[in-house]
């Protein structure tokens, strides 16, 4: 595993922990839909299915993690959510929400984990 993928995995672990702490149930991590892409975290928030994109950056990086979900990325996440629903027996009663968890790793001190609901 290279340093970049290790950084991403660490960020996803912190994100999953944050989601669980705030009452979401993590159903799956790194769900792949063939060549279509990957959902970092699939969770449930009550009766809502949550597709969660995780972006991890080191402090001082060029782009803040919260600016990483472009309209194209949001559309890809919506399509992946539909694929997940088809593969797992249909849509939940509460619908689907796309969230973003941004993780910033400072040079010193604790990581900053920010969860934004309904980004797309």
């Amino acid at each position: 595993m290279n340093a970049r993928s290790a950084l991403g995995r660490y960020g996803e672990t912190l994100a999953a922990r944050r989601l669980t702490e705030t009452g979401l149930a993590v159903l799956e991590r790194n769900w792949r839909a063939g060549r279509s892409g990957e959902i970092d975290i699939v969770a449930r928030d009550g009766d809502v299915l949550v597709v969660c994109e995780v972006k991890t950056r080191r402090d001082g990086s060029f782009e803040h993690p919260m600016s990483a979900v472009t309209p194209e990325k949001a559309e890809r996440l919506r399509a992946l959510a539909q694929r997940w629903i088809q593969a797992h027996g249909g849509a939940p009663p509460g619908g689907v929400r796309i969230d973003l968890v941004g993780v910033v790793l400072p040079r010193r001190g604790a990581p900053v984990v920010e969860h934004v609901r309904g980004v797309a």
Side-chain angles (χ1 to χ4, degrees), residues 20-78:
T20 301
E21 288 170 353
T22 59
L24 278 73
V26 173
L27 304 176
E28 209 161 346
R29 288 178 58 179
N30 305 112
W31 183 80
R32 293 206 60 80
R35 295 177 186 258
S36 299
E38 177 183 278
I39 299 173
D40 293 331
I41 298 175
V42 179
R44 194 179 67 245
D45 186 4
D47 63 353
V48 176
L49 181 72
V50 179
V51 171
C52 192
E53 177 73 4
V54 179
K55 292 296 181 185
T56 306
R57 303 284 189 265
R58 293 199 181 280
D59 195 22
S61 295
F62 176 71
E63 178 184 66
H64 190 276
M66 293 311 210
S67 63
V69 177
T70 63
E72 295 80 17
K73 179 67 175 179
E75 189 57 41
R76 197 163 42 252
L77 288 169
R78 281 190 211 76

